[in-house]
Amino acid sequence: MKTSKKSIRIIADAVLVALVIGYLALLQSNTTAHSYAITIIERSCIYAVAAVSMNLIIGFTGQFSLGTAGFMCIGAYVTGIFTIPVKMRDQIYYLYGMADCIHDIKLPLIAALALSALLCGLIAAVIGWPVLRLKSDYLAIATLGFSEIVRAIFGWDGLGKITNASYGVSNIPPFANIFECVAICGVCILIMSLLIRSSYGRAFKAVRDDDVAAEAMGINLFRTKQLSFVVSSAFAGVAGGLLAVFMRSAVTSTFTVALTYNILLMVVLGGIGSVSGSIIGAFLVTGSQEWLRFLDKEYVFSDLIPGLSGTVFGSAQVPLLRNGFRMVIFSILLMVVVLFWNHGITGSKELSWARIISIPSVLRERKLRKAEEAKRREQEEAAARALEKEVRGQ
Amino acid sequence: MSVQEMEKRKDSAAAEGVKASETKSETAAAQKKENVLRLEDLTMQFGGVVAVNNLSLEVNKGEIVALIGPNGAGKTTAFNCITGVYQPTNGRITFLGQTLMEGCPTGRAAKTYAGEKAGKYTKNIHHSPDEICRAGIARTFQNIRLFPKQSVFDNVLVAKHMRAKQNPFTATFGLNHAEEKRMREETWALLKEQNLDSYASYEAGSLPYGMQRRLEIARALATDPKLLCLDEPAAGMNPQETLDLSDFIKKIRDQYHLTILLIEHHMNLVMGISDRIYCIDFGKLIAKGTAEEVANDPKVISAYLGMQEVV
């Protein structure tokens, strides 16, 4: 019984993966026709890595760190600097001239990403030393500050020989194909979810739920927080590197606080403490910003309601719809979700086949419970009415 | 200090401790039994308030020792010193012959120090709660501190994390699965022994109160302690539950070869199970001895009932 259930699950997973690969292959077969879809999918995948890495520290370890954009910035620059073609370097660094020690070093994408992860992890370990002793909002402010400092350092003229200062690094070679991007993102998310499912992941959750009790259970608070912070930052660096390759440039203006908030939004929307939630959140936020684009166009009424052309009403402009209106709607939708669905889409649990299958029965149960409650209330009311009648009669 | 070092020191120190107690022969009890925990002149001062003043007590192997006292007497503060939450202002705590904590007032604290025996201790040794748990002292909390949103099984399993031989890399890529399997099996065994196995998948916060207490004790047991410290285990329990609890405490002492130190208000529980009782009031030790001795001590009665003429 148990094994058959397990094998069904494996088959379902395999079918899902095959479908995804098939779809990606379809997109890859004609990149010019599907370039828009490819763009959205790649961007979503990259944000998914960033969102899961942020969820690791915020959702699983309970440390409200907002340094994601800073680490992404580091990752983006490191990946960019080491992957641009050597031939083009003098042209890109025409103002400052590239430093000799790194001028001729060109790494393959994977190596450059690994290097960014390593560097971000190291930096996280160093700044984690003082910063992780802070709690909640103080930690948030400190990491936010770090993120801005990183941006300032990368934009500084003094480092122009390495970072090209405010001009940023451009002409980064793009992904070879969509599979490269999706596969790297998939592996990153897989590693993080394996860590979360391991004994260390349980320690993270213990620290999140009650740090005093966790410490009394022999869990070293600082080391546990630091592990989570280092891993989270390393993968934020990878996400930054991927973003740089995706955009083919790394400029400090990309990695503002707004980026951190955007990713935080995906985490909250998807469900704090849920890897699958973060992935869904990343796709939903990135996707919906595109789907709502029709709100950005200007229309006259005859465009929307046929048969009105020629009338005065038909040539009048539809109110509100104009450039930027989609962000208004997007924000309203967000508020609605947060108000009425404040645990996010998946809540703190993971999305699994068993959970998807159980949705109808859960809904049915909820309906039944509601019906029962209504019935009970009716009965109570009837009893109260009867009592009232009796009292009046007497 | 690394764990291995601590373990090593503990072993050698424990051997020395046995030798020392053999030669010294302070009391008959100490001669017979190995000393587990010893508090010497423990003083804890917060600003101008001396919460614990010059408290000395010892707990020997296999004993159940109770620390009692009226509200605000400093019981929990003493407990928090033992478990590493606070660094004692003055005094020393030894566990199995190894010095866990030692404090002496320095700097500004030395000027404002209002406790006794200043100058007797010269070092400041501090271990954090997790190091103390590793050394073998497990504790429970006065207000239950489970991980309420996690399952009963996970609550106990997380306590096994500390002693598992693994590192983040092996744990992530499943290279430690023998260790992981052992952790899970031990957790199952423990839950079975505590009759909690049928609730393994329940959320810990959804269990009834008495069961949550038992789960918290089970979680403490999962750290393989030598000394179990219970902070008001009977708080909020009815008389029947309290009775069950005292049997339970005796049972786990025998089953896991534990030594138990408990703080309690419920005199029924304390009188029923304690080998020895220490009573403190305003941070100072006012009586010690067996249950009858303490119960009949006029100072204890006065502290609890506030009879003035006896003092």
Side-chain angles (χ1 to χ4, degrees), chain A residues 264-265 267-270 330-345:
Chain A
L264 182 63
L265 174 73
V267 172
V268 173
L269 196 70
F330 181 68
S331 312
I332 291 172
L333 283 178
L334 270 180
M335 272 191 255
V336 170
V337 169
V338 171
L339 275 175
F340 296 104
W341 213 340
N342 53 13
H343 290 298
I345 289 160

Side-chain angles (χ1 to χ4, degrees), chain B:
Chain B
M1 196 191 303
S2 78
V3 189
Q4 286 93 334
E5 258 178 282
M6 252 173 83
E7 298 269 321
K8 232 185 264 168
R9 270 183 60 166
K10 200 174 67 195
D11 287 346
S12 62
E16 272 169 36
V18 173
K19 243 185 260 163
S21 68
E22 273 171 1
T23 50
K24 243 193 208 167
S25 72
E26 262 181 25
T27 60
Q31 209 173 29
K32 214 164 47 194
K33 284 173 180 172
E34 184 192 342
N35 184 264
V36 175
L37 181 77
R38 189 197 298 272
L39 269 58
E40 293 167 81
D41 312 315
L42 185 77
T43 304
M44 185 73 222
Q45 185 174 350
F46 298 105
V49 180
V50 184
V52 177
N53 193 357
N54 206 23
L55 175 66
S56 296
L57 65 79
E58 55 187 67
V59 184
N60 298 321
K61 193 163 194 250
E63 276 185 325
I64 298 180
V65 173
L67 184 61
I68 62 169
N71 280 336
K75 304 182 297 288
T76 300
T77 306
F79 224 64
N80 281 340
C81 286
I82 297 169
T83 52
V85 179
Y86 301 139
Q87 156 106 36
T89 317
N90 194 34
R92 183 190 291 146
I93 299 168
T94 39
F95 176 63
L96 293 169
Q98 175 211 4
T99 304
L100 275 189
M101 292 282 190
E102 187 169 325
C104 59
T106 49
R108 232 175 64 190
K111 281 181 207 151
T112 56
Y113 184 63
E116 293 167 30
K117 299 258 171 88
K120 188 175 172 190
Y121 302 94
T122 51
K123 276 185 282 185
N124 264 315
I125 300 171
H126 181 253
H127 285 111
S128 60
D130 59 287
E131 288 169 330
I132 284 178
C133 183
R134 256 164 229 254
I137 301 181
R139 73 170 293 183
T140 64
F141 294 88
Q142 189 173 345
N143 41 345
I144 300 176
R145 276 178 178 271
L146 289 168
F147 307 119
K149 290 281 168 202
Q150 296 183 36
S151 72
V152 169
F153 185 76
D154 282 350
N155 261 278
V156 179
L157 186 57
V158 86
K160 293 276 174 204
H161 175 74
M162 158 185 85
R163 295 201 199 280
K165 288 183 194 72
Q166 58 187 7
N167 61 48
F169 184 79
T170 58
T172 303
F173 297 103
L175 303 173
N176 65 337
H177 65 263
E179 196 73 2
E180 182 81 17
K181 202 175 150 203
R182 182 187 63 78
M183 281 157 72
R184 286 178 184 275
E185 275 166 4
E186 282 178 12
T187 304
W188 266 118
L190 188 68
L191 285 177
K192 278 211 180 93
E193 281 163 14
Q194 303 304 331
N195 292 324
L196 287 164
D197 53 331
S198 46
Y199 305 97
S201 60
Y202 283 43
E203 256 182 26
S206 70
L207 293 182
Y209 189 81
M211 202 92 86
Q212 290 194 17
R213 280 263 174 229
R214 286 229 320 263
L215 176 58
E216 207 191 17
I217 294 175
R219 191 181 64 176
L221 289 176
T223 63
D224 298 328
K226 296 184 180 70
L227 174 70
L228 181 62
C229 297
L230 303 172
D231 195 348
E232 304 214 8
M237 284 190 173
N238 64 31
Q240 182 57 43
E241 282 175 326
T242 309
L243 212 62
D244 293 345
L245 184 73
S246 61
D247 290 340
F248 175 69
I249 292 174
K250 274 185 190 158
K251 204 183 85 189
I252 58 169
R253 189 233 350 223
D254 299 336
Q255 200 174 353
Y256 301 96
H257 312 292
L258 290 172
T259 307
I260 291 172
L261 172 67
L262 71 138
I263 290 181
E264 196 40 79
H265 265 313
H266 272 256
M267 292 310 274
N268 293 347
L269 179 77
V270 173
M271 293 301 163
I273 62 171
S274 310
D275 294 314
R276 284 183 301 114
I277 296 176
Y278 289 85
C279 181
I280 59 175
D281 191 21
F282 294 110
K284 280 190 85 90
L285 191 66
I286 56 170
K288 62 177 178 180
T290 60
E292 296 97 71
E293 283 168 17
V294 170
N296 297 323
D297 194 302
K299 276 191 195 158
V300 176
I301 297 169
S302 115
Y304 265 91
L305 303 175
M307 285 196 296
Q308 289 200 328
E309 56 271 75
V310 189
V311 183

Side-chain angles (χ1 to χ4, degrees), chain A residues 259-271:
Chain A
L259 180 69
T260 301
Y261 288 141
N262 208 9
I263 294 161
L264 182 63
L265 174 73
M266 295 165 191
V267 172
V268 173
L269 196 70

